[in-house]
Amino acid sequence: MLLLDYLRPSLWIASHLLQATLLVLLVRRGFFRQFPIFVIYTASEVLQFVVIFIMLHSPVPVSDAQYFYTYAFFSAASASLRFGIIYEVFTHLFRDYPALSRLGRTLFRATAILLLVLAVFLARLAPAQGVGRLMVMVDVLNRSVSILQCGLLAFLFLFSGYFALSWRSYTFGIALGLGVYASLELTTSAIRSQIEPVGRNLLDGIMMATYLGCVLIWMSYLLAPERETQSPSKGLPTHDLETWNQELQRLLQK
Amino acid sequence: MTITLVLVLVGLLALAGLLVLARVRAGSTTNMESLTEQLCSVDVDAFRNLVDPGEEQYLRANLPESEFRKIQRERILAAIEYVSCAARNGSILMRVGDAARHSPDPSMAEAGEKLINTAIRLRLYSLRAMATLYLGLILPGVRISPAGIAESYEQMTRLVVLLGCFQHAPQGVAAAL
């Protein structure tokens, strides 16, 4: 436990320092035009870190309630912005495929509604256990948000996989980082809603390490140059030539 | 507790899926030659014959019930094979189209764009056709006539030919067309 007590703040500080660096790089490289919600999310996470760090180390005493409401406000903002990022990824992915845009939009909305119903159903069926009504509510909310975010990202990956849509590196990197975070958040929030506060430190540590990993994923994808698509200079298939020739003749006869 | 376990499992599976996806993407090729080597040949006429309602009616009328069911099952299985092959080609050609639409040559870019749209349509039809064909497999009485697949596939083949022509002799073919 001693190691964990030392690791948790280190992970928390490291991930947010890295995120502050990411924010600077995003702004300097003009990513705000392409991914405004992602940049705002990064900025809000850095701001949250600064505010909470000041509250924890302030010479002026901060009450538990003040700390809780500040934390709850930033958590709600983060969750909302993460939904915004998923939508931003969705928009970027379908921008190049107008033929699929309508179908994608309809299915995306339908998936969101289904997941919302599932999350509400699960919240009623398996309420969280723990001390304090407020904390229980926060746990259930966290779990519901994770179900929604994880499900929406899974939909995006599966849908694009079926139609073989090509992801731009930046969009893929953002979705991957968010997906890793959402899937582990789903796992830990499901466990957290069922255990006593004692085991929560370990789960918090896992989530902080995950967050650090996600920031590293974002950095590596956003700083690497965009992968170029190779033009089919001489690569079209040479077999099936007979069918092709027939088709060509048909075309030329038209 | 069961729900918690299910959610934990779902979360971990999603994480594993994402890591596999990232790995596959990192190792995936953008080389057109190796991509197009994965294309498989589809005999559109044979597919049309397999899903022709007239043919099905003829077999039903001229074969004993048990034999018809056996043959119909084999025909549907063959049709499923054709559809999955066409769908696979669709996703490969989608990537070819994606590369072509970034070409500086406007004709090639346009052909690439059209190829993408046709490949998307083909994938959509394939999804519907697969459902119909599997339904026909479970319920042998149901009529199967997956619409659109053969036409989309032919259109896609024409576009690939067009793309090939632009690539090899842009001016000549463009003028001829």
Side-chain angles (χ1 to χ4, degrees):
Chain A
M1 280 298 159
L2 203 66
L3 179 71
L4 199 65
D5 288 342
Y6 169 75
L7 261 178
R8 272 180 58 203
S10 312
L11 285 169
W12 183 59
I13 293 169
S15 60
H16 285 91
L17 285 182
L18 210 59
Q19 200 159 28
T21 318
L22 177 68
L23 177 66
V24 173
L25 291 169
L26 285 173
V27 173
R28 281 181 70 175
R29 291 193 170 201
F31 271 97
F32 188 75
R33 272 194 215 150
Q34 277 188 73
F35 302 101
I37 304 177
F38 181 69
V39 176
I40 293 172
Y41 170 75
T42 310
S44 93
E45 286 294 311
V46 174
L47 182 69
Q48 174 187 13
F49 168 73
V50 172
V51 170
I52 290 182
F53 189 85
I54 290 171
M55 283 178 98
L56 288 174
H57 296 88
S58 161
V60 184
V62 177
S63 71
D64 284 352
Q66 279 173 322
Y67 177 80
F68 178 80
Y69 286 115
T70 311
Y71 179 76
F73 169 76
F74 278 113
S75 294
S78 283
S80 314
L81 284 168
R82 279 202 293 272
F83 279 115
I85 297 173
I86 295 174
Y87 190 73
E88 197 163 72
V89 166
F90 169 86
T91 318
H92 272 265
L93 185 61
F94 287 94
R95 199 178 45 189
D96 290 341
Y97 304 97
L100 263 185
S101 178
R102 223 176 110 190
L103 175 75
R105 209 171 285 271
T106 311
L107 288 177
F108 187 74
R109 280 184 192 148
T111 311
I113 292 168
L114 270 174
L115 287 166
L116 190 68
V117 171
L118 177 75
V120 171
F121 176 71
L122 286 180
R124 277 191 68 87
L125 198 73
Q129 293 161 9
V131 189
R133 216 176 132 206
L134 210 57
M135 279 314 290
V136 168
M137 258 177 64
V138 169
D139 284 340
V140 172
L141 258 172
N142 263 337
R143 197 179 62 188
S144 306
V145 166
S146 310
I147 291 171
L148 268 161
Q149 289 179 346
C150 210
L152 286 174
L153 282 166
F155 163 79
L156 277 185
F157 282 116
L158 290 174
F159 189 85
S160 65
Y162 179 76
F163 285 100
L165 307 185
S166 76
W167 289 73
R168 302 277 159 259
S169 294
Y170 301 148
T171 321
F172 182 79
I174 292 173
L176 179 69
L178 204 61
V180 168
Y181 183 78
S183 53
L184 263 168
E185 172 81 5
L186 175 63
T187 306
T188 54
S189 64
I191 298 171
R192 195 179 284 135
S193 66
Q194 299 297 322
I195 60 168
E196 293 302 315
V198 184
R200 289 173 181 232
N201 283 351
L202 178 65
L203 293 176
D204 286 345
I206 291 173
M207 274 325 288
M208 280 170 190
T210 305
Y211 197 71
L212 180 65
C214 293
V215 178
L216 283 171
I217 290 174
W218 289 327
M219 273 194 125
S220 61
Y221 273 91
L222 293 167
L223 295 183
E226 183 82 72
R227 255 165 92 169
E228 274 186 36
T229 319
Q230 190 198 35
S231 201
S233 57
K234 53 173 182 174
L236 283 173
T238 48
H239 66 285
D240 234 1
L241 213 60
E242 209 173 310
T243 325
W244 287 25
N245 283 338
Q246 284 169 9
E247 293 296 340
L248 183 58
Q249 276 170 2
R250 223 188 289 180
L251 255 173
L252 293 172
Q253 277 161 12
K254 277 186 181 174
Chain B
M1 199 61 188
T2 317
I3 290 169
T4 306
L5 278 176
V6 170
L7 288 177
V8 168
L9 210 66
V10 168
L12 291 176
L13 275 175
L15 180 69
L18 278 172
L19 296 179
V20 169
L21 194 73
R23 217 182 139 91
V24 167
R25 190 186 148 86
S28 76
T29 177
T30 50
N31 185 306
M32 287 302 141
E33 266 179 273
S34 63
L35 256 185
T36 50
E37 270 167 18
Q38 296 164 23
L39 285 169
C40 55
S41 184
V42 175
D43 187 341
V44 179
D45 290 333
F47 174 72
R48 274 212 177 97
N49 181 277
L50 283 172
V51 294
D52 180 14
E55 191 80 14
E56 188 189 326
Q57 218 158 8
Y58 175 80
L59 289 172
R60 195 190 287 271
N62 290 288
L63 290 173
E65 182 66 23
S66 61
E67 199 166 336
F68 166 74
R69 285 196 172 202
K70 197 180 148 200
I71 287 181
Q72 184 62 3
R73 190 183 154 77
E74 279 168 19
R75 292 176 79 228
I76 293 177
L77 284 174
I80 288 173
E81 190 63 36
Y82 275 118
V83 174
S84 33
C85 198
R88 211 165 34 244
N89 284 354
S91 65
I92 293 169
L93 290 176
M94 182 114 177
R95 291 179 70 181
V96 174
D98 199 47
R101 78 167 159 190
H102 292 105
S103 162
D105 177 2
S107 328
M108 198 155 168
E110 195 190 340
E113 195 69 53
K114 280 184 184 163
L115 182 60
I116 287 173
N117 287 337
T118 315
I120 286 175
R121 208 176 313 139
L122 179 75
R123 297 284 293 176
L124 276 172
Y125 286 143
S126 310
L127 200 63
R128 208 191 303 161
M130 280 295 200
T132 317
L133 288 168
Y134 275 111
L135 193 71
L137 210 58
I138 300 163
L139 307 166
V142 173
R143 280 185 62 179
I144 48 136
S145 50
I149 290 270
E151 291 69 26
S152 294
Y153 195 79
E154 279 187 329
Q155 198 183 349
M156 197 172 75
T157 314
R158 271 198 289 275
L159 284 164
V160 176
V161 172
L162 193 64
L163 208 60
C165 295
F166 282 135
Q167 174 188 315
H168 292 298
Q171 280 80 27
V173 177
L177 294 172

